Amino acid sequence: MGDWAGHTGKAKTWFESLRDQICAEFESIEREAGSDAGFEYTPWTREEDGNDDPGGGVQGLMKGKVFEKVGVNVSTVRGRFSEQFADQVNGASAEHPDFTATGISLVAHMRNPHVPAVHMNTRFLTTQSAWFGGGADLNPPIPYDEDTQEFHAVMRAACAAHNPTYYEKYKKWAEDYFYIPHRQVHRGVGGIFYDHLECDDDPSFDRNFAFTKDVGKAFLDIYPKLVRKRMGSDFSDADVAKQLEYRGRYTEFNLVYDRGTIFGLKTGGNIDAILMSLPPRATWS
């Protein structure tokens, strides 16, 4: 198949719908905590020389009583990779640099150190190939085995509904990907990470799209439950110190190794939206 515009449109519509559902749920949590905080939405347009339709996106950002900083971004961009970057992307090359990309990206940093931070991203890209990728991973400054097990159980169920091999494969992929080599530690307690779910025709697009939607639904099911369970916990200065130290490690990963950060910077994305994943405060010692 050569023309994926309609499929990109379907994916975009879903990512925007998921964004709306997630933001509404997070604002509900703020209301439960006695806060009137809400998301502020900032549209942005991508620029590319010689491209009359480069696309753009909307950055959603909230700073509240429970969510110290949470960003939920949706973007849909199209254009050409640079000659130097094209060979690093699935299905692209210097001779075939055209691409489209649509996706949702979410990172939440919490005020209470006992509430886990979280990352979720799902996306659909086209070059000479077309594929889905994404996942969700839990990043607690103070881990609780119960929370880790609950998060993984929901992701396992989402995977099992589509392929019995997905969970173990994508869990291992997350463990390998969200690792900080220079620190020799993992960024968090994992989740799932997948990429290059290739779409060769309409049936394969439908299958991979259904799985990607279920990953988003699984996140929407489990993460608010974990927030509500922990957001009223008492915490000490020592707990905050652990949180800020952990955020330093999180920052190092995102700036040095994260593919999404690199992709956004290499394709002329919005700088504020790309770097919304960074925590509002962090320490290094």
Side-chain angles (χ1 to χ4, degrees):
M1 296 180 63
D3 185 3
W4 288 98
H7 301 77
T8 297
K10 290 179 183 178
K12 174 180 180 287
T13 297
W14 161 249
F15 296 139
E16 291 174 343
S17 171
L18 180 60
R19 183 264 319 274
D20 294 346
Q21 295 175 67
I22 290 171
C23 291
E25 186 68 14
F26 286 1
E27 288 179 348
S28 292
I29 291 173
E30 286 290 329
R31 301 297 171 272
E32 293 165 21
S35 164
D36 62 357
F39 278 88
E40 294 184 2
Y41 297 99
T42 305
W44 61 273
T45 300
R46 180 174 172 270
E47 296 182 1
E48 181 180 86
D49 289 342
N51 187 345
D52 294 332
D53 187 22
V58 177
Q59 177 187 9
L61 186 66
M62 180 172 71
K63 297 179 180 180
K65 183 176 180 179
V66 179
F67 295 86
E68 186 171 3
K69 177 186 177 185
V70 53
V72 188
N73 300 338
V74 173
S75 62
T76 302
V77 297
R78 58 195 70 83
R80 292 188 164 196
F81 294 123
S82 68
E83 183 175 343
Q84 296 79 9
F85 188 56
D87 289 333
Q88 303 176 38
V89 180
N90 180 43
S93 66
E95 294 75 25
H96 299 285
D98 294 342
F99 76 94
T100 67
T102 184
I104 179 173
S105 181
L106 177 154
V107 174
H109 296 289
M110 313 306 290
R111 289 199 180 276
N112 190 319
H114 296 282
V115 182
V118 77
H119 161 254
M120 188 276 293
N121 163 263
T122 53
R123 55 196 178 271
F124 177 64
L125 292 90
T126 72
T127 53
Q128 294 295 293
S129 302
W131 73 97
F132 283 96
D137 59 289
L138 202 63
N139 298 273
I142 302 173
Y144 288 88
D145 288 343
E146 176 187 348
D147 294 358
T148 300
Q149 292 170 10
E150 290 179 11
F151 188 83
H152 277 271
V154 170
M155 293 299 154
R156 183 187 299 110
C159 290
H162 295 270
N163 188 310
T165 71
Y166 275 1
Y167 174 70
E168 290 300 332
K169 179 165 64 174
Y170 296 153
K171 174 178 177 288
K172 177 65 163 56
W173 202 338
E175 290 172 354
D176 293 342
Y177 179 70
F178 295 111
Y179 183 73
I180 309 173
H182 63 273
R183 296 287 185 182
Q184 297 185 345
V185 296
H186 289 92
R187 193 180 77 172
V189 296
I192 62 170
F193 178 81
Y194 64 99
D195 207 0
H196 302 159
L197 273 184
E198 300 283 347
C199 303
D200 300 318
D201 50 26
D202 283 337
S204 58
F205 172 87
D206 291 342
R207 288 194 303 272
N208 295 333
F209 190 22
F211 171 62
T212 295
K213 287 193 285 188
D214 280 352
V215 170
K217 293 173 185 176
F219 171 82
L220 182 57
D221 173 47
I222 185 58
Y223 186 64
K225 292 178 182 177
L226 298 180
V227 174
R228 288 183 168 100
K229 180 165 63 172
R230 302 290 177 192
M231 68 186 195
S233 300
D234 294 332
F235 59 90
S236 65
D237 290 344
D239 293 333
V240 173
K242 287 181 182 178
Q243 180 189 48
L244 297 181
E245 187 81 13
Y246 171 78
R247 286 178 175 179
R249 304 293 184 264
Y250 190 97
T251 299
E252 290 175 16
F253 176 89
N254 279 34
L255 291 180
V256 177
Y257 303 110
D258 185 69
R259 294 180 192 172
T261 302
I262 294 169
F263 183 90
L265 295 175
K266 292 286 188 180
T267 56
N270 179 272
I271 300 300
D272 291 335
I274 295 166
L275 298 182
M276 68 86 182
S277 64
L278 300 182
R281 298 180 297 148
T283 61
W284 285 263
S285 61

